[in-house]
Amino acid sequence: MAANSQFAMAVHILTLLARKGDQNLKSDAIAHSVNTNPVVIRRILGQLAHADLVASQTGASGGTKLARSPEEICLVDVYKAVSCGEVFALPSRPASQDCPVGRNIESVLCNLQKAIDRSVAEKLGEFTLARVLEMIDSEDALAA
Amino acid sequence: MAANSQFAMAVHILTLLARKGDQNLKSDAIAHSVNTNPVVIRRILGQLAHADLVASQTGASGGTKLARSPEEICLVDVYKAVSCGEVFALPSRPASQDCPVGRNIESVLCNLQKAIDRSVAEKLGEFTLARVLEMIDSEDALAA
DNA sequence: AGGTATTGTAACTATACTTGTTACAGTTAT
DNA sequence: ATAACTGTAACAAGTATAGTTACAATACCT
């Protein structure tokens, strides 16, 4: 499969929007920077809008801008907006209830899953969009 | 897609093997507990064998047992054995190099990816197979 | 009002991964 | 020898992502 890169694209998109400040940015311009199709961008923007991270305007001179300041947008929010939030999946078929292990593995795995997902969320909680923007700009300064 | 549940199945399998101690367990018996096809089990066992977590014997009265004690098998090892170890993917297409954000986003995302993957690995490093076994057995004791 | 630009979304294709399944060669105990 | 396993190839079905085209709905601008 094409590995799920929506989170990466979402961060890219939000970084562009953050730089644009209060101005609307068109999906076409974003698509150019991300190097993909505008519809792919608009799909992701839809998910971000649903999470109240961005706001779009239709019509001529429309486009999208951030719904909050970059300091108030956390990468956990982005992650939750565009992914299922689960690092690994539980089996689709239930284990055998005839087996002592099968009977209890599901709840153990479920707790483990929650612990792992929580640790990802906590780590992503350490980063704001503002900080990503700083990193981008400082890398650019280094290259200059 | 069918979500990737190989890690969950691998933990289930290893728990069964841990309970069996030094005795060989057949893929058929494992498949019964996991409620799937023996070939699916053998595929995962192959990955676990490659990581030196289990050892199999072919032939009549063959099967598989742990290659180390449950105290020496960590869930990070299992995770690394059966998955790519990446919580999110980087985009397959390179970003536009004409754009200041596009030029630098990849290295920022790559560092972020490493940080997240590291935090997952650290959390999984807190659990040994022995501890999973304890959890399974204590849940069983509660149910009894 | 009318023309134009832009979003939102449906529909379709190509690609690729996971799971389940059958089949069978190779290997080992009895 | 025979029977019982593993290892693995090959294939089908299901499903997710990414890319693309197309178009209705919406809003600006003259």
Side-chain angles (χ1 to χ4, degrees):
Chain A
M1 179 192 21
N4 189 333
S5 59
Q6 287 186 67
F7 173 70
M9 287 196 279
V11 172
H12 187 156
I13 292 169
L14 290 167
T15 304
L16 291 170
L17 293 177
R19 284 201 138 204
K20 200 71 176 182
D22 204 45
Q23 292 181 320
N24 274 336
L25 195 53
K26 293 166 201 163
S27 63
D28 230 39
I30 299 173
H32 191 263
S33 174
V34 178
N35 189 20
T36 184
N37 191 290
V39 174
V40 172
I41 300 300
R42 293 205 288 269
R43 278 203 283 247
I44 295 172
L45 284 175
Q47 298 180 272
L48 298 176
H50 196 258
D52 274 319
L53 300 177
V54 304
S56 297
Q57 285 182 354
T58 61
S61 80
T64 306
K65 56 187 172 184
L66 294 185
R68 316 181 205 158
S69 76
E71 288 80 13
E72 293 169 322
I73 292 180
C74 193
L75 295 194
V76 207
D77 307 329
V78 182
Y79 181 66
K80 287 186 178 165
V82 300
S83 86
C84 71
E86 292 173 358
V87 172
F88 65 85
L90 302 179
S92 48
R93 298 191 183 185
S96 165
Q97 299 302 303
D98 298 346
C99 164
V101 174
R103 256 199 306 277
N104 299 319
I105 193 79
E106 281 162 25
S107 74
V108 170
L109 284 171
C110 189
N111 287 333
L112 182 62
Q113 187 191 49
K114 282 181 196 150
I116 301 302
D117 293 342
R118 198 158 40 229
S119 95
V120 167
E122 275 167 21
K123 180 56 78 176
L124 283 170
E126 295 176 10
F127 299 88
T128 62
L129 184 56
R131 190 164 156 203
V132 171
L133 201 56
E134 275 173 32
M135 291 191 273
I136 296 281
D137 288 341
S138 70
E139 297 227 4
D140 208 46
L142 288 177
Chain B
M1 182 190 18
N4 190 330
S5 59
Q6 287 185 68
F7 173 71
M9 285 196 281
V11 172
H12 187 155
I13 292 169
L14 290 167
T15 304
L16 290 169
L17 293 176
R19 283 200 138 207
K20 200 72 175 181
D22 206 44
Q23 293 181 320
N24 275 337
L25 196 52
K26 293 165 200 165
S27 62
D28 231 39
I30 299 174
H32 190 262
S33 173
V34 177
N35 189 21
T36 184
N37 192 290
V39 175
V40 172
I41 300 300
R42 293 204 289 268
R43 277 204 285 246
I44 294 172
L45 284 175
Q47 297 179 273
L48 297 176
H50 196 260
D52 274 319
L53 300 178
V54 304
S56 296
Q57 284 183 353
T58 61
S61 81
T64 306
K65 56 187 172 184
L66 292 184
R68 316 180 206 159
S69 75
E71 288 79 15
E72 293 168 323
I73 292 180
C74 193
L75 295 193
V76 206
D77 307 328
V78 182
Y79 182 67
K80 288 186 177 164
V82 300
S83 86
C84 71
E86 292 174 358
V87 172
F88 64 86
L90 302 178
S92 47
R93 299 190 182 185
S96 164
Q97 299 301 304
D98 299 345
C99 164
V101 174
R103 255 199 307 279
N104 298 319
I105 191 79
E106 280 161 25
S107 75
V108 170
L109 284 171
C110 189
N111 287 333
L112 181 63
Q113 187 191 49
K114 282 180 195 149
I116 301 301
D117 292 342
R118 200 159 36 231
S119 94
V120 167
E122 276 167 20
K123 178 57 77 175
L124 281 169
E126 295 176 10
F127 299 88
T128 63
L129 185 55
R131 191 164 155 205
V132 171
L133 202 55
E134 275 172 33
M135 291 191 274
I136 296 281
D137 288 340
S138 69
E139 296 227 3
D140 209 46
L142 288 177

